Amino acid sequence: MKRDTFYNDNDRKVCAWLRQLAKDGHVSPGTVNETSIAQLSPDDVRWYRRVHFFAGIGGWDYALKLAGWPEDREVWTGSCPCQPFSVAGRGKGVSDERHLWPEMRRLIAECLPATVFGEQVASKAGREWLAGVFADLEGMGYQRAGADLCAAGIGAPHIRQRSWFVADDIGDVRQLQTDSGER
């Protein structure tokens, strides 16, 4: 049986805030983990129905609540650090130590959650990042789609373009891997 929600962020102050938001009922109650995603093993997360990497103050969980996402439907989310791909960052891209998609990919590949949501800055480098993410997800048997949306489009007082994606398990690959004992 799956546990409810796992939040992961390596910022202690953010995690304290997240615990309070959960206590106050603004986001789902759950386990708040303060280690780097690079230190997590598949067994740390596979037993949870909802997993939020780079959880911040629970934006993904709150968005799922607003969207009416069923509590019993498995979903993982992650907003990987954007600094490697942002024009405001150092421009190192995949060679930046903050490029953490490979760690998220590793955990997804091991656990094969039903649905994955994520986002990244919509710069040229961010779009290249998303193309790599899509290739990885396709290789794991996921259908995927993305959208380039402007923060101002939902009422924010700035433009800030973001690339959003969703990946949904096709089912056949997951079943084959489960049947063969690969999972």
Side-chain angles (χ1 to χ4, degrees):
M1 177 149 165
K2 296 246 179 185
R3 299 178 199 142
D4 291 333
T5 306
F6 181 90
Y7 299 96
N8 173 252
D9 200 295
N10 65 354
D11 184 317
R12 288 178 185 239
K13 289 180 183 177
V14 166
C15 289
W17 193 355
L18 185 55
R19 285 184 186 97
Q20 189 62 48
L21 288 170
K23 182 179 175 185
D24 294 343
H26 299 295
V27 296
S28 301
T31 301
V32 179
N33 177 284
E34 298 180 5
T35 62
S36 167
I37 189 172
Q39 296 171 327
L40 294 175
S41 76
D43 284 336
D44 292 328
V45 294
R46 81 170 73 244
W47 312 113
Y48 289 89
R49 189 171 297 113
R50 289 185 179 198
V51 175
H52 303 297
F53 299 111
F54 320 104
I57 58 169
W60 276 109
D61 193 76
Y62 187 67
L64 290 168
K65 182 187 272 190
L66 289 176
W69 190 269
E71 290 288 329
D72 62 344
R73 187 170 172 194
E74 185 180 32
V75 61
W76 284 20
T77 68
S79 295
C80 292
C82 64
Q83 296 91 336
F85 308 100
S86 171
V87 294
R90 294 184 223 147
K92 290 185 174 181
V94 297
S95 63
D96 191 307
E97 67 276 1
R98 295 169 294 182
H99 170 50
L100 293 173
W101 167 252
E103 296 298 336
M104 190 170 163
R105 176 187 62 216
R106 170 182 62 85
L107 295 167
I108 292 169
E110 279 288 325
C111 300
L112 296 172
T115 304
V116 179
F117 287 103
E119 58 93 19
Q120 184 55 268
V121 64
S123 66
K124 181 179 185 290
R127 288 188 297 276
E128 291 169 1
W129 174 89
L130 184 59
V133 167
F134 276 1
D136 289 343
L137 292 166
E138 182 179 16
M140 289 183 252
Y142 286 91
Q143 298 177 51
R144 67 265 174 274
D148 182 339
L149 302 173
C150 175
I154 57 166
H158 53 83
I159 295 173
R160 195 169 183 210
Q161 294 294 123
R162 305 299 284 182
S163 292
W164 302 86
F165 73 86
V166 60
D168 195 59
D169 177 22
I170 294 170
D172 297 338
V173 172
R174 175 189 271 200
Q175 190 60 47
L176 287 171
Q177 288 177 338
T178 302
D179 290 348
S180 69
E182 289 182 31
R183 189 163 184 205

